[in-house]
Amino acid sequence: MYRTKTCGALRLTDLNQAVTLAGWVQKARKFGGMIFVDLRDRYGITQVVFNQDVNSGLCDQAAKLGREWVVQVKGTVAERSNKNPNLPTGEIEIIATELTTLNPSDTPPFTIEEDTDGGDDLRMKYRYLDLRRTSVRSNLELRHRMAFAVRSYLNERNFMEVETPVLVGSTPEGARDFIVPSRMNPGEFYALPQSPQLFKQLLMVSGFDRYFQIVKCYRDEDLRADRQPEFTQIDCEMSFVEQEDILNIFEGLTQYLFKAIKGIDIPTFPRLPYADAMRLYGSDKPDTRFGMQFIEIKDLTTGKGFGVFDSAGYVGMICAEGCASYTRKQLDELTDYVKRPQIGAKGLVYVRYDADGTLKSSVDKFYSPQDLQGWIDRAKAQPGDLLLILCGEVEKTQKQLSELRLEMGARLGLRNKNQFNCLWVTDFPLLEYDEELKRYFAKHHPFTSPKPEDIPLLESRPGDVRANAYDMVINGVEVGGGSIRIYNSELQQKMFSVLGFSEEQAQAQFGFLMNAFKYGAPPHGGIAFGLDRLVSLFAGLDSIRDCIAFPKNNSGRDVMFDAPSTVSQEQLDELHLKITLPL
Amino acid sequence: MYRTKTCGALRLTDLNQAVTLAGWVQKARKFGGMIFVDLRDRYGITQVVFNQDVNSGLCDQAAKLGREWVVQVKGTVAERSNKNPNLPTGEIEIIATELTTLNPSDTPPFTIEEDTDGGDDLRMKYRYLDLRRTSVRSNLELRHRMAFAVRSYLNERNFMEVETPVLVGSTPEGARDFIVPSRMNPGEFYALPQSPQLFKQLLMVSGFDRYFQIVKCYRDEDLRADRQPEFTQIDCEMSFVEQEDILNIFEGLTQYLFKAIKGIDIPTFPRLPYADAMRLYGSDKPDTRFGMQFIEIKDLTTGKGFGVFDSAGYVGMICAEGCASYTRKQLDELTDYVKRPQIGAKGLVYVRYDADGTLKSSVDKFYSPQDLQGWIDRAKAQPGDLLLILCGEVEKTQKQLSELRLEMGARLGLRNKNQFNCLWVTDFPLLEYDEELKRYFAKHHPFTSPKPEDIPLLESRPGDVRANAYDMVINGVEVGGGSIRIYNSELQQKMFSVLGFSEEQAQAQFGFLMNAFKYGAPPHGGIAFGLDRLVSLFAGLDSIRDCIAFPKNNSGRDVMFDAPSTVSQEQLDELHLKITLPL
């Protein structure tokens, strides 16, 4: 028994108790004939006092303590004269009677404090020390609590957590699969699953009815800013359900999480059809913490001699409240922002609706005050507002305007990390047209079911067919998505034919599931949440990396372990593999 | 909404309710002008009745239903005239008013019944149909409930579940690692972890204090009867603890599981030092559901002219109660049993203590009745008992006698699957001598700490040093094991020197953790349980395979998916790999 209490436990009510604590030396400072040591563990910090006058030997011992030493202290709880209201233990201190060094510590390469002096790279190399910092550890604690709450909610609703295999078969479409050579089956490979999609659908065929799993998935792809080669999903599937049933259960889960973890009541989620999301926000994952919806003015702008607008398929704007006072410099900044190659707009048109009611725009040459007033009216703008207008090809321009809207939201402080706006985006298109390959692809996967009322369009206007597919979006982040699956083989055949699969191709790629479906597949559907993303959102983090204990960097490397690494020739020989890299 | 109730929900109290059910046709039978359909889902079976006289059209429709069709039925709850006391729903039936076929089914390749006609191979190939069988699905339900109970227990005790990485670095000792080529780092490989040992110790260095994880681990090795290349551990680690703390917490976990899952009260676990386990049972995982402990009689048997015993290092026996009446044939069977190559005894000596008090043995030539009486006395045998004696080199013979003991326990019905005897085996030897390599190896791993009182023996008699290592054994199965780790670098150095590691070798193999330990490692220790094995034990299964949704066979193959398999040349090229198998 190394301790009787943790460093976060003691209060004034414990006065005069004899206690034993153990932990790390956060800091030690001398003050007169006293040494004060802040002793830290996962649960908190407790001040320990050594008094030269009372026990000079012990005090000398304490004087030798360095940062991050691990010590055990015996002593008595006393009231502090100089209380610290910022610490739960700040009203007491321990008058030490015994001190044991359990382990000394070298000077750590950076300070273990919130405001650490360690740079990103150094902290990742010594991740085990970075994890000592309270904020980093709290992210992991939050992750634990969220995963536990998810399991509790689903368990209570008859969901079974089933572990699906990690060493699976490589599939023809699995171009981004990690593969694993098998020693026992030389020349053959397992793959790591990109998701348990196939298995969860099989479990529905098996009659498991309600499945979930918090499960690692793997994707060997170039890592953009916020991706990891291994990531964690809350993967769910239900039988005998329609879209409405899934939305209700998982809206409930999200509300439960917000309440249990953050004490926040989230109202019923608005539902926004994909088409409206694109029209109003130019995004299928709109940040709805603020309005600033798109206003189309193509009809109001055409035929006035401004060729740029006239030739554009789309002219749309947002109204930035109270921004009429923006300076030339600020407007130029915004123009530069939308012209950045990542966004790619040609230019930015503005209309200032000054507080005195006058209108000023960058296109005054072409549009009369009356014309501009028409735009103002449509935007329901108020004096003091600023209209920002982009034009061009519809989809591209909506995407650019969406970026501009997010930027303005940020500039105006409308994207508060402590405010949470949840919604469902529904009615996604079933198919996406690939201009290059001149054919349709399934937007989600080929087992996603079309809306029954759109089935007649499958052959005539496939691009207009809406799917029983949905995404959960919170603060502009897609935290989850799923669909109701096709379980009827006739409809599946039709779907494959629309996708241009021959029967052989369909059989080769999806034959396995199609065969399973022959033996009585129930209607079913599901959803998967990105746990990393959900935790980041709850923690207000900018990167999912901060809620992962041992993340990899952008090159997929673990810099702490220096993995991946080379392996021995013997190991390769045993696997009958040879590396063909040029020397 | 496909259903208002499940097939396991309705009771007499629901009489006259209008309900909608959905599920699979378990069977349909005609009886007079009626058709009775057993409708099955995960929750139960409900009888549905179609009456020719009432609705002949509906009855004709029902007549076409085949086994495993998925249907939706609307109807009214009625009392059954012919009640089935074996079904929770056996007092009611549904008088059908509407029938919808949601999906027909081909005739399944085997019957979906407890007593299925499908062989092992066929059921594994169609595992998704095998999983429909109630007993198979209940094993998975049990697994879910156990995992959830483990998480609840640990969560309540401040354990944090932390996900450790799956794509890790390959270590020099990782000969049985699965390796994963990295596309982004050509020529380099990740490894899949055989356990998160390193990470959990790092988390202790990080001050996480109490960690757990229910986690997949991977080992690429020849699969013996009951191994899987991927298996699941309940992995735990604690800081500022001694062995006693760990045993208490996890004895509590096990008692909690037995109570919560099976309603069984398990008393305080006996603790059996390794040396006693070997002496009394010849095994470090004794089945203590029955006694039949070993009795040594070397001293009583020597010098009577029986060379076989005289030259043996060990003569030991077990007393099989009430087996004096064993026939010649039965005794021959036992002799054959111990002489099987897997056991390898040279022969079996017996002494029958007949009910009338007379003694008869297979070594009457060498031992007088008085001699035999001495053996009987030491065994405290009663008339009617049978002594079974093996001899030879100590460890080998104890192992053989252990097998014989288990066999006799089974023959005597002493290994009841519904009885659970738990114990701790403690004080394992720290080191094991390898006769071939003429050096000591760490029995667990080189971070396992020696008992403080045995440290002085480390250099003089390393084989006698006992470790702070422990296994939890239930019914002869090792369900978990762990140790208190070395956290002190001086002791660690000494340990490496005993193991014959040069400083460079130690640095190369374990340098990473040793470096981390320099920055203030707390005293810590842990344990890991095999979840698959624990669930099998609770379910009374003979193989862990039966509690895994999609297991692999003895060659590490998933016969359902036919994985592992070959991959495309493009994929290998992208990874800069070539297969060097002879054509």
Side-chain angles (χ1 to χ4, degrees):
Chain A
M1 188 93 108
Y2 279 93
R3 61 186 174 200
T4 59
K5 295 282 176 183
T6 69
C7 297
L10 295 166
R11 300 287 183 277
L12 264 185
T13 48
D14 300 303
L15 277 194
N16 301 317
Q17 254 194 54
V19 296
T20 308
L21 301 185
W24 286 261
V25 174
Q26 175 74 30
K27 61 181 171 202
R29 54 197 188 287
K30 286 187 191 184
F31 189 78
M34 325 260 275
I35 295 178
F36 295 92
V37 171
D38 280 354
L39 196 62
R40 186 196 70 229
D41 66 12
R42 172 178 146 200
Y43 312 97
I45 286 183
T46 297
Q47 177 165 290
V48 182
V49 188
F50 300 85
N51 194 325
Q52 189 73 39
D53 293 342
V54 175
N55 188 335
S56 68
L58 197 62
C59 207
D60 292 347
Q61 206 187 327
K64 294 190 191 107
L65 294 178
R67 279 200 289 129
E68 301 305 318
W69 285 37
V70 184
V71 300
Q72 184 186 47
V73 174
K74 296 190 180 186
T76 312
V77 183
E79 184 167 2
R80 268 166 85 158
S81 53
N82 188 10
K83 297 196 172 57
N84 180 347
N86 300 322
L87 278 186
T89 61
E91 297 195 300
I92 60 96
E93 61 193 4
I94 307 298
I95 309 296
T97 55
E98 215 179 307
L99 170 65
T100 311
T101 293
L102 298 172
N103 227 344
S105 171
D106 285 5
T107 303
F110 52 87
T111 56
I112 311 297
E113 273 163 17
E114 280 323 287
D115 233 351
T116 179
D117 57 0
D120 237 34
D121 290 351
L122 195 64
R123 286 188 293 109
M124 287 316 289
K125 187 166 154 58
Y126 293 91
R127 180 65 169 173
Y128 49 89
L129 296 179
D130 197 31
L131 287 172
R132 278 190 194 163
R133 293 168 58 226
T134 304
S135 61
V136 184
R137 204 189 47 240
S138 349
N139 293 337
L140 275 298
E141 277 170 348
L142 174 69
R143 187 181 179 109
H144 161 68
R145 284 189 293 129
M146 287 182 70
F148 190 78
V150 167
R151 287 190 164 99
S152 298
Y153 178 91
L154 293 174
N155 179 63
E156 268 175 34
R157 280 152 190 82
N158 265 324
F159 282 80
M160 266 170 76
E161 185 159 20
V162 180
E163 293 177 58
T164 54
V166 178
L167 298 169
V168 303
S170 185
T171 49
E173 78 272 37
R176 300 289 87 156
D177 281 349
F178 280 106
I179 61 172
V180 184
S182 164
R183 195 186 312 260
M184 290 177 68
N185 304 275
E188 299 191 328
F189 297 79
Y190 300 101
L192 303 181
Q194 296 188 31
S195 94
Q197 183 68 32
L198 188 57
F199 290 97
K200 70 174 174 175
Q201 292 197 242
L202 284 181
L203 287 173
M204 293 305 106
V205 174
S206 299
F208 275 49
D209 208 73
R210 294 182 161 204
Y211 145 94
F212 83 102
Q213 190 183 187
I214 299 187
V215 60
K216 279 272 176 80
C217 300
Y218 309 87
R219 206 168 293 153
D220 189 6
E221 63 186 350
D222 297 344
L223 302 171
R224 275 178 273 151
D226 212 21
R227 294 267 181 102
Q228 288 278 314
E230 50 180 299
F231 52 98
T232 305
Q233 291 203 338
I234 306 168
D235 192 47
C236 309
E237 195 82 5
M238 302 172 75
S239 288
F240 300 115
V241 290
E242 286 154 346
Q243 173 168 315
E244 194 60 27
D245 302 305
I246 304 236
L247 299 194
N248 284 336
I249 287 267
F250 293 97
E251 183 167 325
L253 168 63
T254 310
Q255 288 169 323
Y256 173 80
L257 280 179
F258 272 107
K259 188 68 185 175
I261 303 289
K262 299 187 77 79
I264 297 177
D265 287 301
I266 298 281
T268 303
F269 292 17
R271 300 194 186 172
L272 190 64
Y274 172 87
D276 291 345
M278 297 311 292
R279 186 173 55 81
L280 297 173
Y281 302 100
S283 166
D284 59 2
K285 41 176 199 279
D287 185 344
T288 51
R289 280 174 296 186
F290 62 105
M292 220 187 274
Q293 293 179 345
F294 295 1
I295 303 135
E296 288 176 39
I297 48 166
K298 172 71 185 165
D299 58 320
L300 299 181
T301 60
T302 301
K304 305 284 179 165
F306 186 41
V308 176
F309 279 2
D310 286 358
S311 65
Y314 178 88
V315 182
M317 62 182 183
I318 53 175
C319 173
E321 288 179 23
C323 294
S325 57
Y326 263 32
T327 60
R328 179 85 234 166
K329 182 157 165 277
Q330 284 173 301
L331 289 167
D332 285 349
E333 264 174 30
L334 287 180
T335 306
D336 289 346
Y337 179 79
V338 297
K339 286 170 85 173
R340 296 191 313 171
Q342 304 95 305
I343 298 183
K346 295 267 162 42
L348 173 67
V349 170
Y350 67 82
V351 181
R352 278 150 62 148
Y353 187 13
D354 282 333
D356 61 5
T358 59
L359 293 168
K360 188 153 212 181
S361 89
S362 50
V363 288
D364 282 348
K365 227 191 293 180
F366 304 100
Y367 297 99
S368 70
Q370 288 72 21
D371 291 333
L372 299 179
Q373 189 61 47
W375 309 359
I376 291 286
D377 290 348
R378 184 168 290 177
K380 298 195 180 74
Q382 300 297 318
D385 291 354
L386 173 72
L387 302 183
L388 296 168
I389 306 168
L390 293 178
C391 72
E393 186 270 316
V394 185
E395 283 174 25
K396 271 190 198 157
T397 311
Q398 285 179 335
K399 212 162 168 299
Q400 294 158 357
L401 196 53
S402 167
E403 297 291 339
L404 179 61
R405 174 180 175 271
L406 292 175
E407 173 66 16
M408 287 309 299
R411 285 180 183 234
L412 295 172
L414 303 172
R415 303 178 70 185
N416 177 355
K417 280 189 178 178
N418 296 313
Q419 182 191 335
F420 296 92
N421 276 55
C422 308
L423 79 153
W424 290 108
V425 176
T426 60
D427 300 0
F428 277 83
L430 182 68
L431 302 161
E432 241 172 355
Y433 193 71
D434 185 304
E435 293 289 348
E436 228 169 284
L437 296 173
K438 303 264 178 247
R439 73 175 187 83
Y440 282 98
F441 281 86
K443 195 172 164 80
H444 287 83
H445 56 77
F447 290 94
T448 301
S449 67
K451 295 237 165 257
E453 61 269 34
D454 289 0
I455 292 179
L457 302 177
L458 260 178
E459 271 145 13
S460 54
R461 285 158 42 207
D464 290 347
V465 176
R466 294 164 306 159
N468 285 315
Y470 31 82
D471 278 357
M472 186 188 288
V473 175
I474 305 180
N475 292 3
V477 176
E478 179 210 321
V479 295
S483 68
I484 301 295
R485 327 299 181 187
I486 300 175
Y487 63 97
N488 167 296
S489 59
E490 238 169 281
L491 183 56
Q492 191 64 63
Q493 296 300 346
K494 187 177 275 182
M495 182 75 178
F496 283 137
S497 105
V498 171
L499 291 172
F501 281 98
S502 71
E503 209 160 306
E504 292 72 38
Q505 287 171 317
Q507 193 61 39
Q509 282 204 32
F510 307 104
F512 184 80
L513 197 52
M514 284 161 68
N515 282 338
F517 278 13
K518 283 186 194 153
Y519 297 102
H524 62 287
I527 193 166
F529 293 88
L531 179 63
D532 309 293
R533 214 162 287 284
L534 203 57
V535 176
S536 308
L537 193 82
F538 270 60
L541 301 173
D542 292 322
S543 164
I544 60 168
R545 227 178 276 177
D546 296 327
C547 67
I548 296 173
F550 300 100
K552 301 202 168 45
N553 74 7
N554 279 350
S555 321
R557 297 200 72 84
D558 181 327
V559 295
M560 184 176 74
F561 280 109
D562 196 27
S565 61
T566 54
V567 296
S568 69
Q569 191 58 47
E570 290 92 317
Q571 215 159 351
L572 291 176
D573 289 348
E574 254 199 303
L575 294 168
H576 300 276
L577 284 181
K578 199 176 144 182
I579 295 172
T580 60
L581 272 184
L583 286 177
Chain B
M1 189 94 109
Y2 279 93
R3 61 188 174 198
T4 59
K5 295 282 176 182
T6 69
C7 296
L10 295 167
R11 301 287 183 273
L12 264 185
T13 48
D14 300 303
L15 276 194
N16 302 318
Q17 255 193 54
V19 296
T20 307
L21 301 185
W24 285 261
V25 174
Q26 176 75 27
K27 62 181 169 201
R29 55 198 187 286
K30 286 186 192 184
F31 189 78
M34 325 261 275
I35 295 177
F36 296 92
V37 172
D38 281 354
L39 195 63
R40 187 197 69 230
D41 66 11
R42 173 179 147 199
Y43 311 96
I45 287 183
T46 298
Q47 177 165 292
V48 181
V49 188
F50 299 85
N51 193 325
Q52 188 72 40
D53 293 342
V54 176
N55 189 333
S56 69
L58 197 63
C59 207
D60 292 346
Q61 206 188 327
K64 295 192 190 104
L65 295 177
R67 280 200 287 129
E68 301 304 320
W69 284 37
V70 184
V71 299
Q72 184 187 46
V73 175
K74 298 191 178 182
T76 313
V77 182
E79 183 167 1
R80 267 165 84 159
S81 52
N82 188 10
K83 298 195 170 59
N84 180 348
N86 300 321
L87 278 186
T89 61
E91 298 194 298
I92 60 95
E93 61 193 3
I94 308 299
I95 309 297
T97 55
E98 216 179 306
L99 171 65
T100 310
T101 294
L102 299 172
N103 227 343
S105 170
D106 285 4
T107 304
F110 52 85
T111 55
I112 312 296
E113 273 163 17
E114 280 323 285
D115 234 352
T116 179
D117 56 0
D120 239 34
D121 291 349
L122 194 64
R123 285 188 293 110
M124 289 315 288
K125 187 166 155 56
Y126 292 91
R127 180 65 169 174
Y128 50 89
L129 296 180
D130 197 30
L131 286 172
R132 279 192 194 162
R133 294 168 57 226
T134 303
S135 60
V136 183
R137 203 189 47 240
S138 336
N139 293 338
L140 275 299
E141 277 170 348
L142 174 70
R143 186 181 181 109
H144 162 69
R145 284 190 292 130
M146 287 181 70
F148 190 78
V150 167
R151 287 191 164 99
S152 298
Y153 178 91
L154 294 174
N155 179 64
E156 267 174 36
R157 279 153 192 82
N158 265 325
F159 283 81
M160 265 170 76
E161 185 159 20
V162 180
E163 293 176 58
T164 54
V166 178
L167 298 169
V168 302
S170 185
T171 49
E173 78 272 36
R176 300 289 85 156
D177 281 349
F178 280 106
I179 60 171
V180 183
S182 163
R183 195 187 313 260
M184 290 177 69
N185 303 276
E188 299 192 329
F189 297 79
Y190 301 101
L192 303 182
Q194 296 187 31
S195 93
Q197 183 69 31
L198 188 56
F199 291 97
K200 70 175 176 176
Q201 292 197 243
L202 284 181
L203 288 173
M204 294 305 105
V205 174
S206 299
F208 274 49
D209 207 73
R210 295 184 160 202
Y211 145 93
F212 85 101
Q213 189 183 188
I214 299 188
V215 60
K216 278 272 176 82
C217 300
Y218 308 87
R219 207 169 293 153
D220 190 6
E221 64 186 347
D222 298 342
L223 302 170
R224 274 179 274 152
D226 213 19
R227 294 268 181 101
Q228 288 278 313
E230 51 181 298
F231 52 97
T232 305
Q233 291 203 338
I234 306 167
D235 192 48
C236 309
E237 195 82 6
M238 301 172 75
S239 287
F240 299 116
V241 290
E242 285 155 345
Q243 173 167 315
E244 194 59 26
D245 302 305
I246 304 236
L247 300 194
N248 284 336
I249 286 269
F250 292 98
E251 183 167 324
L253 168 63
T254 310
Q255 288 169 323
Y256 173 79
L257 280 179
F258 271 107
K259 189 67 185 175
I261 304 288
K262 300 186 77 78
I264 297 176
D265 287 301
I266 298 280
T268 303
F269 291 17
R271 300 193 186 172
L272 190 64
Y274 172 87
D276 291 346
M278 297 311 292
R279 187 173 55 77
L280 296 173
Y281 303 99
S283 167
D284 59 2
K285 42 175 197 280
D287 184 345
T288 51
R289 280 174 296 185
F290 63 104
M292 218 186 275
Q293 293 179 345
F294 295 0
I295 303 134
E296 288 176 39
I297 48 167
K298 171 73 185 164
D299 57 321
L300 299 181
T301 59
T302 301
K304 306 283 178 164
F306 185 42
V308 177
F309 278 2
D310 285 359
S311 65
Y314 178 88
V315 182
M317 62 183 182
I318 54 175
C319 173
E321 288 179 22
C323 294
S325 56
Y326 264 32
T327 60
R328 179 85 236 168
K329 183 157 164 277
Q330 284 174 301
L331 290 167
D332 285 349
E333 265 174 30
L334 287 180
T335 307
D336 290 345
Y337 180 80
V338 297
K339 286 170 85 174
R340 295 191 314 170
Q342 304 94 307
I343 300 184
K346 294 267 164 39
L348 175 66
V349 170
Y350 67 83
V351 180
R352 277 149 64 148
Y353 188 14
D354 283 332
D356 63 4
T358 59
L359 292 169
K360 187 152 212 181
S361 90
S362 51
V363 287
D364 282 348
K365 228 191 290 181
F366 304 100
Y367 297 101
S368 69
Q370 288 72 23
D371 291 334
L372 299 180
Q373 189 60 46
W375 308 359
I376 290 287
D377 290 348
R378 182 167 291 176
K380 300 196 180 72
Q382 300 297 317
D385 291 353
L386 173 72
L387 302 182
L388 296 168
I389 307 167
L390 292 178
C391 72
E393 186 271 314
V394 184
E395 281 173 27
K396 270 189 199 157
T397 311
Q398 285 179 335
K399 213 163 167 297
Q400 294 158 357
L401 196 54
S402 167
E403 296 292 338
L404 178 61
R405 174 180 173 272
L406 292 175
E407 172 66 16
M408 287 309 299
R411 285 180 182 234
L412 293 173
L414 302 172
R415 303 180 69 188
N416 176 355
K417 280 188 177 178
N418 296 313
Q419 183 191 334
F420 296 93
N421 276 56
C422 308
L423 78 154
W424 289 108
V425 176
T426 60
D427 299 1
F428 276 82
L430 182 69
L431 302 160
E432 242 174 354
Y433 193 69
D434 184 305
E435 293 289 348
E436 228 168 284
L437 296 173
K438 303 260 177 255
R439 73 176 188 81
Y440 282 98
F441 281 86
K443 195 172 164 79
H444 286 84
H445 57 76
F447 290 94
T448 300
S449 68
K451 296 238 163 255
E453 61 269 33
D454 289 359
I455 292 179
L457 302 177
L458 259 178
E459 271 145 15
S460 54
R461 286 157 41 206
D464 289 348
V465 176
R466 294 163 305 159
N468 285 315
Y470 31 82
D471 279 355
M472 186 188 288
V473 175
I474 305 180
N475 292 3
V477 176
E478 179 209 323
V479 295
S483 69
I484 300 296
R485 328 298 181 186
I486 300 174
Y487 63 97
N488 168 296
S489 60
E490 237 171 282
L491 183 56
Q492 190 64 61
Q493 296 299 346
K494 187 177 276 182
M495 181 74 178
F496 282 137
S497 105
V498 171
L499 291 172
F501 281 97
S502 72
E503 210 160 304
E504 291 73 37
Q505 287 172 316
Q507 194 60 40
Q509 282 204 31
F510 308 103
F512 185 80
L513 196 52
M514 285 161 68
N515 282 338
F517 278 13
K518 283 185 194 153
Y519 297 102
H524 62 287
I527 193 166
F529 293 87
L531 179 63
D532 309 293
R533 216 163 285 285
L534 203 57
V535 177
S536 306
L537 194 82
F538 271 61
L541 300 174
D542 292 321
S543 164
I544 60 168
R545 228 177 276 176
D546 296 327
C547 68
I548 297 173
F550 300 100
K552 299 200 170 43
N553 73 8
N554 279 351
S555 320
R557 296 199 74 82
D558 181 328
V559 294
M560 185 175 74
F561 280 110
D562 196 26
S565 60
T566 55
V567 296
S568 69
Q569 191 56 48
E570 291 92 318
Q571 215 160 350
L572 292 175
D573 289 347
E574 255 199 303
L575 295 167
H576 300 277
L577 285 181
K578 199 177 141 182
I579 295 172
T580 59
L581 271 185
L583 285 178

